[in-house]
């Protein structure tokens, strides 16, 4: 348990390719991917992971075809509404990171309701990255700092790495120990750029709809075998 990652982040990639391989549209792949999300969330709680962050919809994903974006927004709203009681039952506190002001009003409304409903849950924090981009998050944090400096509430000497972290979307949470990416891509795609400075990375060829709890456990076991030095010897 000492070596189990406290915070796992996952780039859930490959829904579109999975669907194409089956001569289906991309929306079908996203629908299958949502089923995997619930399995991984449930297993994370059972395994004792305290923070799970899922890269759900990036700031760049707004550039996708409108039909796909509309379908995804519908999935988010329906899924959160449908699974709210389940999240409470297994002790999950919902948090959303990203520029949620860009999300449709009905999606933001459901997010607020589920966050309120799960606020006192303490088994695990689930971060859904929605309309999220790492660069955008850092810029928003800088703007908050500049605003406070303009009002005289903060000075240059007050700003260090720890203080800066309080202005990020993941404030008061540990940085991810392990970042997993599915689908055979070897990049982090603008995900948790500040927080991932010393994260361990795990890549798998498996497309997200085929990602199982067994493979998730393999990633955890791989992490626990690694020696983390954080720049030391």
């Amino acid at each position: 348990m000492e070596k189990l990652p406290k915070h796992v982040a996952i780039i859930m990639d490959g829904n579109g390719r999975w669907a194409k391989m089956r001569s289906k549209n991309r929306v079908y792949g996203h629908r299958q991917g949502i089923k995997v999300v619930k399995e991984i969330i449930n297993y994370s709680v059972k395994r004792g992971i305290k923070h799970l962050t899922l890269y759900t919809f990036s700031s760049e994903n707004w550039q996708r075809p409108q039909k796909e974006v509309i379908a995804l927004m519908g999935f988010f709203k329906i899924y959160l509404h449908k699974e709210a009681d389940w999240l409470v039952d297994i002790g999950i506190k919902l948090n959303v990171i990203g520029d949620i002001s860009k999300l449709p009003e009905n999606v933001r409304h459901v997010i607020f309701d589920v966050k309120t409903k799960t606020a006192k849950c303490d088994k695990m924090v689930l971060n859904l990255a929605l309309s999220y981009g790492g660069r955008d998050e850092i810029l928003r944090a800088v703007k908050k700092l500049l605003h406070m400096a303009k009002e005289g509430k903060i000075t240059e000497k007050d700003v260090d790495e720890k203080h800066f972290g309080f202005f990020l979307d993941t404030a008061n949470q540990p940085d991810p120990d392990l970042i997993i990416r599915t689908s055979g891509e070897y990049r982090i795609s603008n995900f948790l750029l500040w927080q991932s400075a010393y994260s361990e990375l795990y890549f798998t060829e498996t497309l997200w709809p085929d990602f199982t709890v067994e493979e998730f456990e393999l990633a955890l076991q791989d992490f626990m075998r690694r020696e983390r030095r954080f720049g030391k010897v």
Side-chain angles (χ1 to χ4, degrees), residues 13 15 19 21 30 53 55 64 71 101 129-130 166 187 197 219 226:
D13 194 23
N15 290 340
M21 290 168 60
H30 294 310
T53 300
Y55 204 2
R64 291 186 174 185
S101 67
L130 290 171
F166 292 135
R187 55 181 178 272
R226 299 185 187 184

Side-chain angles (χ1 to χ4, degrees), residues 40-50 52 86 90-92 123-124 216:
I40 297 303
I41 291 173
N42 192 51
Y43 187 75
S44 296
V45 174
K46 291 181 179 179
R47 199 65 173 83
I49 293 167
K50 294 301 182 182
L52 177 66
W86 174 70
I90 63 174
I92 292 179
K123 286 286 185 65
M124 187 181 79
F216 186 35

Side-chain angles (χ1 to χ4, degrees), residues 184-200:
E185 302 290 352
Y186 294 86
R187 55 181 178 272
I188 58 174
S189 297
N190 200 18
F191 184 48
L192 300 175
L193 297 182
W194 177 275
Q195 299 90 330
S196 64
Y198 280 100
S199 300
E200 297 293 322

Side-chain angles (χ1 to χ4, degrees), residues 183-224:
S183 87
E185 302 290 352
Y186 294 86
R187 55 181 178 272
I188 58 174
S189 297
N190 200 18
F191 184 48
L192 300 175
L193 297 182
W194 177 275
Q195 299 90 330
S196 64
Y198 280 100
S199 300
E200 297 293 322
L201 305 179
Y202 182 91
F203 299 100
T204 173
E205 298 287 332
T206 304
L207 302 176
W208 178 250
D210 291 328
F211 191 73
T212 63
V213 294
E214 289 79 14
E215 184 161 4
F216 186 35
E217 179 60 34
L218 289 176
L220 297 179
Q221 293 293 330
D222 181 84
F223 169 85
M224 290 188 284

Side-chain angles (χ1 to χ4, degrees), residues 11-230:
I11 302 172
M12 306 178 294
D13 194 23
N15 290 340
R17 276 170 284 169
W18 185 90
K20 186 177 181 180
M21 290 168 60
R22 290 158 178 78
S23 300
K24 302 286 188 178
N25 60 33
R26 294 176 58 84
V27 173
Y28 178 79
H30 294 310
R31 186 177 290 112
Q32 295 301 311
I34 287 175
K35 296 177 181 179
V36 179
V37 167
K38 186 171 183 178
E39 294 174 0
I40 297 303
I41 291 173
N42 192 51
Y43 187 75
S44 296
V45 174
K46 291 181 179 179
R47 199 65 173 83
I49 293 167
K50 294 301 182 182
H51 300 264
L52 177 66
T53 300
L54 302 178
Y55 204 2
T56 310
F57 189 86
S58 76
S59 53
E60 291 77 22
N61 287 159
W62 291 111
Q63 302 173 46
R64 291 186 174 185
Q66 186 178 17
K67 183 178 179 181
E68 182 178 351
V69 171
I70 291 173
L72 285 169
M73 292 299 126
F75 287 160
F76 301 150
K77 182 183 69 172
I78 293 170
Y79 178 82
L80 287 173
H81 178 74
K82 178 183 176 182
E83 302 297 349
D85 290 337
W86 174 70
L87 293 174
V88 172
D89 289 342
I90 63 174
I92 292 179
K93 179 179 181 179
L94 178 69
N95 186 48
V96 175
I97 64 175
D99 185 2
I100 63 172
S101 67
K102 294 182 178 180
L103 297 172
E105 184 178 357
N106 57 1
V107 176
R108 284 185 275 121
H109 181 73
V110 172
I111 288 171
F112 177 79
D113 285 348
V114 178
K115 285 181 67 175
T116 301
K117 196 168 188 177
T118 63
K120 294 183 179 180
C121 296
D122 58 4
K123 286 286 185 65
M124 187 181 79
V125 174
L126 172 63
N127 296 307
L128 294 184
L130 290 171
S131 188
Y132 175 87
R135 289 181 174 180
D136 176 70
E137 179 188 25
I138 293 170
L139 284 174
R140 286 188 284 108
V142 170
K143 289 177 180 179
K144 292 175 188 176
L145 279 168
L146 291 174
H147 181 73
M148 291 188 67
K150 186 177 180 180
E151 293 185 340
K153 296 179 179 179
I154 194 171
T155 64
E156 181 180 348
K157 67 179 182 180
D158 296 322
V159 181
D160 55 20
E161 287 190 15
K162 183 178 180 180
H163 198 139
F164 187 78
F166 292 135
F167 292 88
L168 297 172
D169 296 344
T170 55
N172 300 311
Q173 296 189 50
D175 291 339
D177 302 296
L178 172 64
I179 296 179
I180 300 170
R181 179 164 189 155
T182 61
S183 87
E185 302 290 352
Y186 294 86
R187 55 181 178 272
I188 58 174
S189 297
N190 200 18
F191 184 48
L192 300 175
L193 297 182
W194 177 275
Q195 299 90 330
S196 64
Y198 280 100
S199 300
E200 297 293 322
L201 305 179
Y202 182 91
F203 299 100
T204 173
E205 298 287 332
T206 304
L207 302 176
W208 178 250
D210 291 328
F211 191 73
T212 63
V213 294
E214 289 79 14
E215 184 161 4
F216 186 35
E217 179 60 34
L218 289 176
L220 297 179
Q221 293 293 330
D222 181 84
F223 169 85
M224 290 188 284
R225 287 192 295 269
R226 299 185 187 184
E227 182 180 356
R228 306 182 75 198
R229 300 188 184 91
F230 299 97

